[in-house]
């Protein structure tokens, strides 16, 4: 079990294999990791730091806002992610229709039938093409003026913005604004995805893992996830009576035994149905929150705070190098 967790930590780039500085290093991390959770910008940024040696906080913003080599939007499981720009179209082509279907009941509760959603996507994209980056408040006013919602507050606004995002028509721009994808990237996304390609990238970044782990991470149906993993896996081995497919020989996965300080919602802790460890309430208090964690050899051993760098460890560990690197990354 210890070997499995250390091997997964290595696969997820937490041995810090990316040594390139600048936005190119950021894009390399995001590409290798198969995407990073981005419910908060800070969490996504510190996920990049934990997987690289020379990137900075400013580089993450530059990669997304200037180079546009990474894109923030709704991808795996319909949650906010930072993905390589070339992966955005294939991901939405593969995942978008199911995510929209899975949200149908909520659309109904919010009074957003197909006609309203389709018109809202057109209205939002047209506005963004004309006016550029816009905030939630601005887009809410646009939807009210178009007669698509009754008031600019409430969850319907975000639901319609997200719907347009799942169609590949808008994404996050600078800060907490949205932009039209056609304008931001200079061309529309091609919404065509291959489940086997995604399974291969998942096993590379998260393996050894099961088809159900892949389904949990991606949001794909379990039968489709199983077929895709079986099609690409080169071998597997048994852990606690469970077969775990991999793309590489076991000798290629010596494992990472280092200590890492992970930001909130780190992808490593959200990549599996069965992590083979329980998250304590100090890290996973419920309500959809996942706090910053200290991980060693793939296993959580404590928590920490961004603002103060205060650490609460469950077992002893030397954090000197990690704390110094956080200061380097943030420019302190």
């Amino acid at each position: 079990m210890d070997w499995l967790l250390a091997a997964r930590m290595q696969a997820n780039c937490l041995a810090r294999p990316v040594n390139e500085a600048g936005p190119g290093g950021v894009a390399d991390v995001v590409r290798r990791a198969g995407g990073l959770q981005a419910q908060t910008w800070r969490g996504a940024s510190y996920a990049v730091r934990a997987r690289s040696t020379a990137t900075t906080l400013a580089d993450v913003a530059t990669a997304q806002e200037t180079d546009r080599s990474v894109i923030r939007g709704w991808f795996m499981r319909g949650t906010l992610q930072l993905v390589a720009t070339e992966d955005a179209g294939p991901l939405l082509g593969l995942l978008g229709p199911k995510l929209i279907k899975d949200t149908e009941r909520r659309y109904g509760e919010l009074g957003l039938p197909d006609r309203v959603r389709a018109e809202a996507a057109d209205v939002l994209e047209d506005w963004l093409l004309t006016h550029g980056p816009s905030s939630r408040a601005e887009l809410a006013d646009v939807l009210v003026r178009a007669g698509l919602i009754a008031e600019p507050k409430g969850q319907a606004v975000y639901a319609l913005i997200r719907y347009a995002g799942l169609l590949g028509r808008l994404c996050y721009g600078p800060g907490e604004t949205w932009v039209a994808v056609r304008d931001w990237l200079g061309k529309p996304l091609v919404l065509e995805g291959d489940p086997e390609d995604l399974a291969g990238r998942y096993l590379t970044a998260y393996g050894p893992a099961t088809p159900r782990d892949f389904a949990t991470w991606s949001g794909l149906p379990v039968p489709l996830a199983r077929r895709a993993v079986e099609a690409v896996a080169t071998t597997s081995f048994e852990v606690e009576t469970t077969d775990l497919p991999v793309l590489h020989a076991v000798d290629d996965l010596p494992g990472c035994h280092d200590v890492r300080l992970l930001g909130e919602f780190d992808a490593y802790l959200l990549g599996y149905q069965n992590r083979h460890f329980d998250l304590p309430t100090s890290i996973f208090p419920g309500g959809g929150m996942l706090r910053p964690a200290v991980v060693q050899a793939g296993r959580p051993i404590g928590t920490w705070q961004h603002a103060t760098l205060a650490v609460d460890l469950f077992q002893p560990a030397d954090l000197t190098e990690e704390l110094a690197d956080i200061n380097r990354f943030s420019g302190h």
Side-chain angles (χ1 to χ4, degrees):
M1 185 59 61
D2 290 342
W3 173 84
L4 172 64
L5 296 179
R8 285 178 167 180
M9 185 173 174
Q10 177 190 338
N12 205 237
C13 301
L14 289 168
R16 304 183 76 193
V18 177
N19 298 315
E20 180 181 354
V26 175
D28 192 15
V29 168
V30 173
R31 194 174 294 114
R32 290 183 187 223
L36 298 172
Q37 295 287 138
Q39 286 98 317
T40 69
W41 184 249
R42 183 178 64 183
S45 298
Y46 279 85
V48 171
R49 183 215 68 86
R51 292 162 173 83
S52 57
T53 63
T55 59
T56 66
L57 186 61
D59 292 335
V60 185
T62 301
Q64 190 250 338
E65 297 180 9
T66 305
D67 286 18
R68 301 176 190 178
S69 54
V70 297
I71 186 170
R72 186 183 183 202
W74 298 268
F75 298 99
M76 290 74 76
R77 302 181 311 284
T79 60
L80 281 173
Q81 309 269 343
L82 198 65
V83 305
T85 297
E86 68 268 23
D87 293 336
L91 284 169
L92 288 176
L94 187 60
L95 305 175
K98 181 180 184 295
L99 292 169
I100 290 171
K101 182 178 179 181
D102 290 347
T103 315
E104 285 288 352
R105 179 176 177 180
R106 184 57 181 152
Y107 291 144
E109 293 171 349
L110 293 172
L112 303 174
D114 289 348
R115 177 194 63 78
V116 170
R117 300 199 306 271
E119 187 174 346
D122 290 340
V123 166
L124 290 172
E125 184 178 38
D126 289 345
W127 170 270
L128 293 170
L129 285 170
T130 302
H131 296 87
S134 300
S135 67
R136 176 172 176 156
E138 290 170 321
L139 295 183
D141 288 340
V142 169
L143 293 169
V144 170
R145 290 198 299 270
L148 296 170
I149 58 174
E151 58 180 9
K153 298 181 180 180
Q155 297 181 14
V157 176
Y158 187 79
L160 290 173
I161 293 172
R162 179 177 178 271
Y163 176 78
L166 292 175
L167 295 177
R169 299 176 67 177
L170 61 77
C171 65
Y172 274 80
E176 294 299 310
T177 66
W178 287 276
V179 292
V181 166
R182 281 195 289 151
D183 179 46
W184 190 245
L185 301 182
K187 59 183 178 180
L189 296 175
V190 178
L191 305 184
E192 296 177 358
D194 179 358
E196 292 182 12
D197 176 68
L198 187 59
R201 288 193 286 124
Y202 172 76
L203 288 180
T204 298
Y206 288 88
T210 68
R212 283 189 175 272
D213 290 326
F214 174 44
T216 297
W217 172 81
S218 65
L220 288 173
V222 172
L224 178 59
R226 180 177 293 110
R227 291 194 298 271
V229 167
E230 290 173 351
V232 301
T234 58
T235 187
S236 68
F237 52 93
E238 189 174 285
V239 175
E240 294 183 349
T241 72
T242 299
D243 284 331
L244 296 170
V246 291
L247 292 182
H248 311 285
V250 173
D251 292 343
D252 295 334
L253 294 169
C256 175
H257 299 272
D258 297 340
V259 179
R260 288 289 173 268
L261 298 177
L262 308 183
E264 63 264 34
F265 302 107
D266 191 85
Y268 170 71
L269 298 178
L270 290 168
Y272 308 93
Q273 181 196 44
N274 185 349
R275 306 181 194 92
H276 293 280
F277 56 76
D278 293 324
L279 285 173
T281 55
S282 58
I283 297 174
F284 185 48
M289 290 300 299
L290 189 65
R291 292 173 177 157
V294 184
V295 172
Q296 183 172 36
R299 189 181 297 278
I301 63 166
T303 62
W304 66 285
Q305 297 179 18
H306 286 287
T308 63
L309 297 187
V311 176
D312 180 15
L313 293 177
F314 315 144
Q315 65 185 53
D318 183 358
L319 303 180
T320 304
E321 291 185 2
E322 275 292 274
L323 291 171
D325 191 69
I326 283 179
N327 284 323
R328 175 205 61 80
F329 177 77
S330 59
H332 294 156

